[in-house]
Amino acid sequence: MKNLYKILLLNMAGILLFLSWYPPQTGYWYVIDSQVFFFFNHLLTESQAFLYLVAFTNLRPFDVAAFLFMLGIFIYYYRQMDAKGRHWMLAMGATMLITAVIAKQFDLWVQFDRPSATKFFSDAGVAVNRVSQLTGWNTKDYSASSFPGDHGTFLMIFTFFMWRYLGRRAFLSGLAVVLAFSLPRIMSGAHWFSDVYVGAVSVNLIVLSWMLLTPASDWIIHRLMKLRHWE
């Protein structure tokens, strides 16, 4: 199979990345996670502007903004296509959703419950700042299970599909969305840094290598177009 060596290498990288982190709350990833969490957590009481920025970007309706940004990137390229190309892009978008469902199965299969940083340190008796308590807003700053970061996983799937099919500029646009919309959960303490940059990355190294470096995604797109009589 073409690219088999790359696929196996990326799979091994994903496994090793996960093993470098497991078990949680130990080793150097815990040091990084703790430093990132307390850096942002202390800022919440030092800057009113930062506090309300974090609060606003962790409101549930703000989650729609990530989708709208991705949709905007998608539409930008969609409008440049002819009729057949637009049908192809719709099939490609559906294939992204299928890939996201596959990636979600890893989370369900592992059944790994890791409390968010705010819950972990609160349960350990450490005083932490909660955005929802400081502002009175119903923000996402607490989770009983935060690993891996679903937001980061799905955003990365979008980004690498853009790269695979639409090129470097589309990839960079998607990457900006990943960074902008995965950061708020980390700043509020609803996710650890490693939830995204270990959890989401390790899952996608495995899932996306098999989806994008084999004919799998092309085959799904082709079957969807044939099913809809778009060819």
Side-chain angles (χ1 to χ4, degrees):
M1 181 193 297
K2 185 180 178 182
N3 293 325
L4 181 59
Y5 176 76
K6 291 180 182 177
I7 293 168
L8 293 178
L9 196 63
L10 289 169
N11 279 229
M12 184 60 67
I15 293 169
L16 290 176
L17 180 62
F18 175 79
L19 291 177
S20 75
W21 168 88
Y22 187 83
Q25 278 78 56
T26 61
Y28 61 88
W29 280 114
Y30 175 65
V31 174
I32 294 171
D33 278 339
S34 300
Q35 289 177 342
V36 171
F37 170 71
F38 283 111
F39 172 77
F40 288 123
N41 198 251
H42 290 152
L43 279 180
L44 294 175
T45 54
E46 294 175 5
S47 170
Q48 194 88 343
F50 178 74
L51 169 63
Y52 280 93
L53 171 66
V54 174
F56 176 74
T57 54
N58 279 284
L59 291 171
R60 290 296 186 181
F62 189 77
D63 292 347
V64 179
F67 171 76
L68 293 176
F69 270 87
M70 289 189 292
L71 183 62
I73 295 169
F74 188 89
I75 290 174
Y76 173 80
Y77 288 96
Y78 178 86
R79 293 181 63 184
Q80 297 180 33
M81 302 286 184
D82 58 18
K84 184 176 180 179
R86 291 180 176 185
H87 289 155
W88 171 85
M89 283 204 67
L90 292 175
M92 189 260 284
T95 304
M96 275 193 266
L97 294 177
I98 292 170
T99 305
V101 171
I102 294 170
K104 181 62 179 176
Q105 302 317 301
F106 276 74
D107 183 20
L108 298 175
W109 175 64
V110 172
Q111 289 290 313
F112 190 86
D113 291 329
R114 183 196 193 190
S116 65
T118 45
K119 177 172 171 54
F120 174 79
F121 287 114
S122 294
D123 289 348
V126 179
V128 299
N129 298 310
R130 292 275 303 277
V131 177
S132 57
Q133 294 174 351
L134 292 172
T135 63
W137 295 6
N138 185 23
T139 63
K140 176 73 174 178
D141 64 0
Y142 194 87
S143 175
S145 181
S146 67
F147 185 92
D150 285 344
H151 272 68
T153 300
F154 301 150
L155 291 170
M156 288 176 194
I157 288 170
F158 172 81
T159 299
F160 282 94
F161 263 82
M162 292 293 102
W163 192 9
R164 166 69 171 78
Y165 288 108
L166 296 171
R168 184 170 173 270
R169 282 187 62 191
F171 167 72
L172 292 175
S173 299
L175 186 61
V177 174
V178 171
L179 296 174
F181 289 94
S182 63
L183 188 58
R185 291 289 195 268
I186 295 172
M187 293 191 298
S188 73
H191 278 297
W192 302 84
F193 177 83
S194 64
D195 289 342
V196 177
Y197 294 102
V198 172
V201 171
S202 60
V203 167
N204 278 318
L205 282 170
I206 296 171
V207 173
L208 290 178
S209 62
W210 287 104
M211 186 62 72
L212 297 179
L213 294 179
T214 70
S217 59
D218 291 334
W219 183 85
I220 296 172
I221 292 169
H222 172 73
R223 294 301 299 174
L224 289 172
M225 290 188 69
K226 191 171 183 178
L227 184 66
R228 297 295 300 172
H229 305 291
W230 284 343
E231 290 188 321

